[in-house]
Each structure stands twice: as C-alpha cells, then as structure tokens.
Amino acid sequence: MTAVLGGCGLTGDSDGVTLRLVAADYGDGKENSSQKYWDALVESYEAKNPDVHVDVTVYSWNDVDRKVREMVEAGRAPDMAQIGAYSDYADEGLLYRADDVLSIPVQADFVSQLAGAGQVNNVQYGLPFAASTRVLFYNKTLFDKAGLQPPKSWDDLAKAAEALEEEGVKYPYALPLGPEEAPAETMQWMLSGGGGYTDDVGTYSVDSPQNVTTFTWLRDELVGKGLTGPVAPGRLNRAAAFEAFANGDVGMLNGHPSLMKAASEKGVKYGMVTTPGIDGESRNTLGVSDWMTAFKKNGHQEEVGDFLDFVYSEENVLDFSREYGLLPVTTSASRTMSTAAEDRKLKPFLDELLLSQLYPVGKTSWASVSADVKKRIGEAVAPGGSPKEVLGQIQTTAVRAGSEG
C-alpha cells in the first residue's frame, strides 16, 4: 500500500483510526524495498487490530527528511516518521516522549547507547530504529599478494597502504570525505585519534588538539603520499568507495554491514578488524542510528503506542535487521542475533555497538555542524590544507548554531 499523505491521520465514524507513517527505504531495488517490509508488517498488525488502519509511504533517503519537513511545515504532520534526525522536532515541541507512547518493557529494551542518543535534555524523544557500526574492511586477496597482515595502528595502516600502492592497487585506502557521508568517516577517524565531535561533558570540541593531530596525519601520511586513490577524498562519496571495494579496487576502508553483501556478490574475499587507532586498535568506534518519531499533531497517542510496541517486538526487529543487514536496536534482538548461526557475520558489528559513540544528534545544532562537515572537511586533508583552520571553522559553526542546544 502506498499512501498519498495529503492530510492528517483521520478518525472515521465506523472505520476506526487511520495512522499515517512515513518511512525511509533501506532497499536497493523493488525486490527488497522497505515498502514490502512495511506492507507485510502492517497486514499482520491489522489482522489483530481491525479498528486501526496504517498507511505507509516509503521515500528514498535522498527525499524522506525533506518530505517530512514539508508536511510538518504545511500543518500535515504524519502520526509517525522514520527518518534521520529528531531533535529539531523535539525542540519545537512536536513529538511525543518515548514514555508517552511506548510500554515500559519496550522502552527499556532499547540498547542503552542508542536510547541515550535519543534524548534531548535527558528526555527520550528519538526512538532508535536501525543501527550500524564501523569496522575496517580489507581485501584479503590484495593483502596476501602484498604479504600483509591486517593493520592494528595508524602506522600499520600507512605501511600497508604503501605496500598496496607499490602493487598497483587503485585505492590503497579509500577515504570517503565527500558530502554523502563525510560526518561518519570524519568521526571514525576522530575517535581513532582519541577525539570526537564533543568532549566528555558534551561540549563541541571539533578543533581539539587530538582532532587536529588526526587530520594532519591523514593529510601528510595518506593523502599527501598518494595512498588514497585517484579521487580527492573531499569528492569521494561512500557509495562510490563501497562500489570500488566490491570491484576489487580498494585495499582498505571503513565499512558497515551492508558492504559484506556487496563484496560477497562480486566474489571479493574480505576480512574485517577493529578500526586501527593512533597507537593500536581504536578504543571507540562510530555508531549510527536512524530514528522513529511520533508526532502529537493528530492526537492518536494510544494507537501510535500500540502500533510501535508491535514494531519493536523481538520478531519484527530481527526480521528488519536481517533483511537489510543492519543491527537490531533492542537488547533482546541483539542477544538472539549474537548467538544465531545465521547472523555470525554480523557479530563483529554487534560487539562494536556496545562500545560505540554516536553523533551528538540530541543537539539541535547538529544539523548545521553536519552540513558544514560535509562542505569543508575534504579541505583539511587536501595538499596544502590546514586541518587546524578547517576544524576551527567547523567549531565556529557549532558555536554559532547554539552548541548547547
């Protein structure tokens, strides 16, 4: 069912309640479109709840956040939206709190790191929906040919990249700092150098000494030595880097679970290890979550809550995670997946999730900071670029955007 979201959720005299949900598409074609997932889930729910009808519209990730924003600004907010951010809507007072709609067992089942990232001023508004972490992927065939072992430190990584370059590998290390997912690659490297976007008390620290050291090292030891391939990092997007890895043209890159399928389908033999850090394996890794939100506009608090309890059942969380190669956002599903034979390839990512750090998505300023990272960070590692200056510019953006928001 594809609903046209022309109005608010409606309550009919005899037809019960219609809930409207807007969701993002995690599929890569019609065969595994998220529309198929939601249609099947809704059919199951409606069979048990005949007085509630759920209309679902799925948009691509390129469009979904904008579509929801347009609906909200036109006064036609959906009942629920599964999107990339939530804090701006929470700040505007448009969302139900998690405990307004979810039962206590469901809310308590969220993985703690994800639940914490869903909070604004210590109140949870963002309901984690899908998660992933990052590990270092490497091409086993290329490593064997060059006589290499997987790197554990930055020095190991640089030496491996030099050896791969000597073997004629197109991208010894793929560094996608292009606008598609620059904030993720940026944060992964910040964490591996002992930094991050924020400090221990949650204040932005983009231009910290640790981060400046990290990007100076990238500029001098990888990019400046021609070890990141023919496309400048600031113009290399994640999708292109993943495609190049699946084509056998990349020696190493940071990747999330979906890369396993893409590489396997192309016959690439790959390995995965913890992200290398400045002096050994990185102590922290990047965690990423997408969010379910419940809007107050149409007043269907009870019906929304009942439907979301169903969405977050262990069975449904597992089905979604397995369909799209993502990590479950609940402890119960994570526990099941960590011991299931069919999910053994995801175990490295599940282990990393418990140690992961997420974007500061609870700050309403994060959207501005993220946009500035996408715009500028490639300049930090370009030949002749100044990491201190570029990171300082992004820090200024964070402060101006209201960094404590």
Side-chain angles (χ1 to χ4, degrees):
M1 79 193 76
T2 301
V4 179
L5 292 178
C8 304
L10 305 175
T11 303
D13 292 335
S14 59
D15 296 333
V17 170
T18 293
L19 301 178
R20 303 195 185 278
L21 164 66
V22 177
D25 195 351
Y26 291 84
D28 52 18
K30 287 186 177 180
E31 287 303 308
N32 69 340
S33 166
S34 292
Q35 189 72 56
K36 294 181 69 174
Y37 168 82
W38 284 110
D39 287 353
L41 185 144
V42 166
E43 182 179 4
S44 176
Y45 179 77
E46 291 179 349
K48 301 173 184 177
N49 299 272
D51 292 333
V52 179
H53 180 61
V54 185
D55 278 352
V56 182
T57 302
V58 171
Y59 292 107
S60 76
W61 273 111
N62 293 329
D63 300 320
V64 67
D65 288 287
R66 174 177 55 83
K67 291 285 189 181
V68 171
R69 172 51 69 183
E70 290 172 354
M71 293 172 196
V72 171
E73 290 180 350
R76 301 195 309 269
D79 295 283
M80 295 161 285
Q82 185 268 300
I83 46 181
Y86 67 87
S87 61
D88 50 349
Y89 297 123
D91 188 59
E92 295 166 28
L94 302 178
L95 301 180
Y96 285 118
R97 299 158 49 123
D99 55 12
D100 288 334
V101 289
L102 297 178
S103 65
I104 292 174
V106 169
Q107 187 178 1
D109 197 26
F110 287 129
V111 173
S112 59
Q113 282 89 340
L114 304 180
Q119 296 180 356
V120 175
N121 297 325
N122 298 315
V123 177
Q124 185 179 356
Y125 294 94
L127 315 181
F129 184 75
S132 67
T133 55
R134 301 293 191 272
V135 298
L136 184 78
F137 282 73
Y138 65 95
N139 184 309
K140 283 188 172 182
T141 302
L142 298 178
F143 264 60
D144 289 346
K145 184 178 179 182
L148 296 170
Q149 294 296 316
K152 293 185 177 181
S153 67
W154 287 1
D155 285 346
D156 292 344
L157 188 149
K159 290 174 183 176
E162 289 176 358
L164 292 166
E165 197 271 337
E166 290 174 3
E167 292 286 340
V169 176
K170 190 174 182 179
Y171 293 89
Y173 179 85
L175 182 65
L177 294 176
E180 181 188 359
E181 208 182 33
E185 186 75 10
T186 296
M187 185 168 174
Q188 187 70 49
W189 276 98
M190 285 177 170
L191 291 172
S192 72
Y197 286 117
T198 60
D199 60 20
D200 291 341
V201 295
T203 301
Y204 279 115
S205 57
V206 180
D207 59 349
S208 69
Q210 296 94 325
N211 292 340
V212 172
T213 296
T214 295
F215 280 85
T216 300
W217 186 89
L218 283 171
R219 181 196 64 188
D220 296 344
E221 301 301 325
L222 289 185
V223 182
K225 293 183 177 180
L227 303 178
T228 54
V231 180
R235 295 199 297 270
L236 181 64
N237 280 323
R238 177 192 58 78
F242 277 21
E243 183 178 8
F245 186 86
N247 288 334
D249 293 330
V250 174
M252 300 171 282
L253 85 170
N254 288 325
H256 55 63
S258 70
L259 184 55
M260 295 190 296
K261 180 181 178 182
S264 296
E265 288 178 346
K266 292 288 190 72
V268 171
K269 295 180 180 178
Y270 63 87
M272 300 181 296
V273 293
T274 299
T275 304
I278 190 169
D279 54 6
E281 292 182 352
S282 179
R283 297 175 183 84
N284 297 301
T285 191
L286 169 68
V288 176
S289 180
D290 303 321
W291 304 96
M292 178 70 76
T293 56
F295 284 88
K296 296 178 180 178
K297 174 71 176 178
N298 305 315
H300 297 142
Q301 180 177 351
E302 183 178 347
E303 293 84 0
V304 166
D306 188 69
F307 177 68
L308 289 178
D309 276 359
F310 181 75
V311 168
Y312 284 106
S313 69
E314 181 179 343
E315 177 184 358
N316 289 327
V317 171
L318 284 171
D319 284 349
F320 180 85
S321 302
R322 286 167 172 163
E323 175 65 31
Y324 297 107
L326 293 164
L327 303 182
V329 296
T330 62
T331 301
S332 58
S334 296
R335 189 181 301 117
T336 297
M337 188 174 275
S338 66
T339 58
E342 65 182 289
D343 302 310
R344 62 186 180 279
K345 288 186 176 181
L346 282 171
K347 193 170 190 313
F349 298 96
L350 287 165
D351 292 342
E352 293 285 357
L353 184 61
L354 299 177
L355 304 171
S356 67
Q357 293 189 23
L358 280 77
Y359 298 138
V361 289
K363 293 178 176 288
T364 56
S365 53
W366 170 242
S368 297
V369 176
S370 177
D372 209 38
V373 171
K374 292 177 180 181
K375 177 182 177 182
R376 298 180 187 274
I377 197 63
E379 302 168 9
V381 299
S386 170
K388 185 174 183 179
E389 181 178 333
V390 172
L391 293 172
Q393 290 169 338
I394 298 170
Q395 176 71 13
T396 297
T397 295
V399 173
R400 286 177 177 170
S403 63
E404 302 316 311

